[in-house]
Amino acid sequence: MSHDLRTPLNAIIGFSEMMRDQYFGPLGDKRYEEYTKDIHKSGTLLVSLIDDILDLSKIEAKKYDLQEDRLNLNDLVKECLTQNKIAAEAKQQIIRVDLPVDFPALLADHRAILQILNNILSNAIKFSEKGKAIELQGGLSRDGGIMLTVTDTGIGISPKDIALITQPFMQVQSSHSIARESSGLGLYLVSSLMTLHGGDLDIESKLGEGTVIKLTFPPERTISA
């Protein structure tokens, strides 16, 4: 099913991108330019939804096999920032990174960790107002486990919602107009992928003030330089 859905979507995304960038000349009416942007955006959202549902199916069927490797977190964070650059720039947001150059490597699945960071960072961008700053910090826990923390000053989450948002298809009700662009699977996948790595996800938030999301990995996944 994933393949059958992806094939036409790839065509929709590819051709709409060519039209959006006007490879073969102007489209004519300005409204067509907006339409192609909307088509491209919608196609990209659908691909993201398919990826999330496929991962959800693998996790629930216990078929998600980690491809563990030595990960340079500085490089991985740069990759994540590149993928979220356009969204952050569109809202004039600054993403500050505080990660030591000699930060230990992490023994983990590259795709899974990138997906974890992308989900958390994209949420911070989505639910923070224009011009706000977002911080991504790295450190070590008392037992030597790697910790990554993402802090925003966005809309925040009410206490009653914090326990719910790591469940599949749950969204923050106070931001319905924003949340409807997502599948409601992001934080559930983050929580599930952290569990597969033997790690923990901790969420602290105050409504109207912002959110702090902390990822803590077990010390056996820390690879010192």
Side-chain angles (χ1 to χ4, degrees):
M1 282 298 295
S2 174
H3 178 269
D4 291 342
L5 290 167
R6 282 170 181 269
T7 300
L9 277 173
N10 285 338
I12 291 169
I13 292 170
F15 286 126
S16 63
E17 186 173 309
M18 292 177 68
M19 295 169 70
R20 181 196 65 190
D21 296 339
Q22 302 183 36
Y23 283 179
F24 302 113
L27 296 175
D29 196 299
K30 282 287 182 181
R31 286 172 291 185
Y32 292 145
E33 296 178 19
E34 294 301 318
Y35 296 161
T36 54
K37 289 177 183 178
D38 289 341
I39 293 169
H40 186 272
K41 181 180 179 182
S42 298
T44 303
L45 284 172
L46 279 173
V47 168
S48 176
L49 175 59
I50 291 168
D51 288 342
D52 285 349
I53 291 175
L54 185 60
D55 286 336
L56 170 66
S57 301
K58 287 180 180 178
I59 289 170
E60 293 191 339
K62 302 188 186 307
K63 297 293 185 181
Y64 196 109
D65 298 321
L66 296 179
Q67 305 298 315
E68 297 181 350
D69 200 359
R70 179 191 180 110
L71 304 182
N72 182 315
L73 287 172
N74 277 286
D75 291 342
L76 194 140
V77 166
K78 287 178 183 177
E79 187 177 351
C80 178
L81 292 178
T82 299
Q83 294 183 12
N84 288 277
K85 180 180 178 180
I86 294 176
E89 287 181 346
K91 298 183 73 173
Q92 298 176 9
Q93 294 167 341
I94 299 172
I95 302 174
R96 302 191 184 105
V97 177
D98 183 10
L99 210 62
V101 177
D102 58 350
F103 200 57
L106 175 68
L107 179 63
D109 183 301
H110 177 274
R111 180 179 175 274
I113 302 303
L114 185 61
Q115 185 176 14
I116 287 170
L117 289 177
N118 273 335
N119 277 330
I120 293 174
L121 197 57
S122 64
N123 275 349
I125 293 169
K126 187 186 302 179
F127 294 107
S128 293
E129 294 180 0
K130 185 177 180 180
K132 294 291 186 179
I134 297 165
E135 295 184 359
L136 194 161
Q137 297 174 304
L140 295 176
S141 61
R142 291 182 179 179
D143 59 2
I146 287 175
M147 294 192 307
L148 296 173
T149 305
V150 175
T151 305
D152 68 58
T153 54
I155 63 172
I157 307 165
S158 67
K160 65 181 179 64
D161 285 331
I162 289 180
L164 298 175
I165 58 174
T166 55
Q167 300 302 311
F169 303 108
M170 296 300 294
Q171 298 172 335
V172 179
Q173 296 302 311
S174 62
S175 59
H176 177 71
S177 62
I178 303 174
R180 66 185 178 187
E181 293 188 358
S182 67
S183 63
L185 289 174
L187 286 177
Y188 173 72
L189 289 173
V190 169
S191 178
S192 299
L193 292 172
M194 286 300 295
T195 299
L196 285 176
H197 284 85
D200 295 312
L201 166 68
D202 182 61
I203 302 172
E204 297 178 7
S205 187
K206 288 186 178 181
L207 204 58
E209 295 185 19
T211 302
V212 178
I213 294 186
K214 184 183 294 182
L215 309 168
T216 307
F217 294 90
E220 55 267 27
R221 291 193 172 277
T222 302
I223 304 175
S224 300

